[in-house]
Amino acid sequence: MTERVEYTDEEWATVLAAPVAVISAIIGSSLGGPVGIMKEVAAAVKSFEQAAETKRDNPLIVAVLLSLKERFEAFGGGLDDPALQQMNILELGQDVDRAVEACRVARELLEQKAPPDLSAELRAWLLEIGVNVAHAAVEGGFFGLGGERVNQAERDMLARLAEALDVPSPL
């Protein structure tokens, strides 16, 4: 099952919450300043744009991207959308355990409803988003000098996300 119509609204909200949970978990694992957070969010957006070009063969990823685009475009219309209620980056970033759990729940749902190859590719893409976000800004240092591209807290979070998504760790 790969089409949006094959999922209840609640199930689809769970799937759509996973990319935001990944972004939130990485950002929340090592909060930088506002510039760093903006770079990390920009890296996530770039990951979505790249997936729109490179993941067209996976109808599940395409459906996720289209749904996210529609929801973010309609964001000003209200917060009664179940997916929007689950997709608060700042709130999830403050509770990284909840973000990791959201990824685990999404993985379990995808394993039940999606063909294994499409589910595996989507889950690998979710971790790829996390890797891109982790690499987006230097953490630590002083006025941009020193620091690490991916610090230990982010490496630990990537490992936790890989486990929750049941994909190989990038480290």
Side-chain angles (χ1 to χ4, degrees):
M1 297 182 190
T2 59
E3 299 299 322
R4 158 61 183 109
V5 296
E6 315 246 0
Y7 295 81
T8 67
D9 288 345
E10 184 177 319
E11 289 171 337
W12 195 243
T14 297
V15 173
L16 292 183
V20 176
V22 167
I23 297 162
S24 300
I26 296 298
I27 291 173
S29 70
S30 180
L31 286 174
V35 173
I37 291 172
M38 287 176 26
K39 287 180 179 181
E40 291 170 333
V41 171
V45 171
K46 187 174 182 179
S47 293
F48 293 154
E49 292 169 348
Q50 289 173 337
E53 294 298 322
T54 62
K55 307 288 186 192
R56 291 180 180 188
D57 292 341
N58 186 321
L60 187 55
I61 292 175
V62 170
V64 166
L65 289 169
L66 289 173
S67 291
L68 286 173
K69 181 177 186 269
E70 289 170 5
R71 285 197 161 89
F72 285 119
E73 286 175 351
F75 185 70
L79 296 176
D80 58 343
D81 181 328
L84 287 178
Q85 291 172 358
Q86 292 184 43
M87 294 193 302
N88 184 327
I89 289 177
L90 296 176
E91 183 181 312
L92 282 172
Q94 293 172 359
D95 187 354
V96 295
D97 292 333
R98 184 172 147 227
V100 172
E101 177 65 10
C103 291
R104 186 195 61 74
V105 170
R107 172 194 39 95
E108 289 176 352
L109 176 64
L110 290 166
E111 287 175 342
Q112 292 171 10
K113 295 202 83 157
D117 58 333
L118 299 181
S119 171
E121 185 179 12
L122 173 68
R123 292 180 288 113
W125 171 62
L126 291 171
L127 190 61
E128 181 182 311
I129 294 169
V131 169
N132 292 341
V133 170
H135 281 88
V138 174
E139 305 289 337
F142 183 71
F143 288 113
L145 302 173
E148 296 178 88
R149 180 61 61 187
V150 179
N151 65 27
Q152 187 61 48
E154 291 169 323
R155 287 191 292 273
D156 291 346
M157 183 53 65
L158 287 169
R160 286 183 67 192
L161 289 169
E163 183 179 339
L165 294 166
D166 193 23
V167 296
S169 176
L171 310 173

